[in-house]
Amino acid sequence: MEKTAFVFAGGGSLGAIEAGMLRELIASGVKPDFLVGASAGAINSVFFAYQPHSAGSLRLEYLWRSIRREQILPWSFLSLLAAFRGRGTHLVSSGRLRELLYEHYGSRKLEDADLPVHVVATEMKTGNDVVISSGSAVDAVLASTAIPGVFPPVALGGSMLIDGGVANNTPISTAIRLGATRVVVLSTGFTCAERRPPKGALEHAMSALNLLVARQLVSDLERWSAHAAIAVVTPLCPLDVSPYDYSQCGLLIDRAATETRRWLEAGGLDNHKIPGGLRPHSHDVDAACHG
């Protein structure tokens, strides 16, 4: 019996792309049996799990359209000064992010979602991925989004957990191990046509990580393609938005929805090839890629 999983990748602010993809997938009648998400993808998968329908996908869009960087990364002079002096383990408190998550999840538990959902985090000491399928939704997502050095690690189940993207940013393997025979991957892609070089240490780090995980995704797709039917929703390419830039979320959603609609109309769900936009490539000025 076929069992379909939607896999939501991490990618910082580029998680907004997945909201546009999700809208069109649901509108087309594709129904997942369960959801798996890491990092920003954990935010999306858990949000949708509690309202797995078209209205829920539209509410997820609204969340991304209204989000501001200060709600995720509230810098302060004192936190930056402490980091430069080598004090503390992180740059910012996760308090603002916790408030945002609680606003949407409340005190609900993962096992109470209308659609089974599994959140992937990373065990800090071993680097192994950890799958969270029960307990506080807020705590699970905080753990999965705890960027090392930026947010504090989260103590959960006797372990210290950090961002799921470190161990398994696009957890296809998790979905297959959980029984998926068909996997639909919602990928954030990577910034492949920057309008300007990254500014500051964090932008450099996030841009480099974004590129690294895109390369890892290609490797995972090659490895797991024999174990399930895997379709990757076409990534945005060229993409010139930093995963640190939350000002472009609305535009990313609209563009992703348009591209996903075209992908579906072209039979994308039955195409199990790796999109060219995930492979190494470059862009000339004003050039576009159609991989």
Side-chain angles (χ1 to χ4, degrees), residues 92-105:
V92 296
S93 164
S94 57
R96 292 290 299 276
L97 179 56
R98 176 180 284 276
E99 290 174 6
L100 178 65
L101 296 175
Y102 190 83
E103 178 184 342
H104 293 283
Y105 307 152

Side-chain angles (χ1 to χ4, degrees), residues 62-215:
Y62 177 78
L63 167 63
W64 279 105
R65 290 181 190 276
S66 61
I67 207 165
R68 298 293 177 265
R69 181 192 59 78
E70 293 77 15
Q71 294 174 281
I72 306 293
L73 297 165
W75 303 125
S76 73
F77 175 75
L78 291 177
S79 66
L80 295 175
L81 184 62
F84 282 123
R85 290 180 172 177
R87 298 173 183 171
T89 60
H90 54 277
L91 284 175
V92 296
S93 164
S94 57
R96 292 290 299 276
L97 179 56
R98 176 180 284 276
E99 290 174 6
L100 178 65
L101 296 175
Y102 190 83
E103 178 184 342
H104 293 283
Y105 307 152
S107 58
R108 287 180 288 189
K109 298 183 181 297
L110 293 180
E111 62 266 36
D112 296 331
D114 292 337
L115 197 61
V117 59
H118 309 275
V119 172
V120 175
T122 302
E123 210 286 321
M124 190 166 70
K125 288 185 178 180
T126 64
N128 294 330
D129 55 342
V130 175
V131 181
I132 308 169
S133 305
S134 61
S136 164
V138 170
D139 288 345
V141 174
L142 274 181
S144 187
T145 55
I147 303 169
V150 177
F151 291 120
V154 174
L156 203 62
S159 298
M160 296 301 290
L161 304 180
I162 56 175
D163 197 307
V166 174
N168 200 353
N169 190 70
T170 311
I172 297 168
S173 58
T174 302
I176 292 174
R177 287 175 180 137
L178 288 169
T181 58
R182 180 193 190 205
V183 177
V184 180
V185 178
L186 289 77
S187 166
T188 56
F190 66 98
T191 303
C192 56
E194 294 174 309
R195 290 171 293 181
R196 60 167 176 76
K199 291 182 180 179
L202 183 62
E203 270 201 37
H204 274 283
M206 290 191 74
S207 293
L209 181 60
N210 188 221
L211 178 60
L212 177 64
V213 297
R215 298 293 183 265

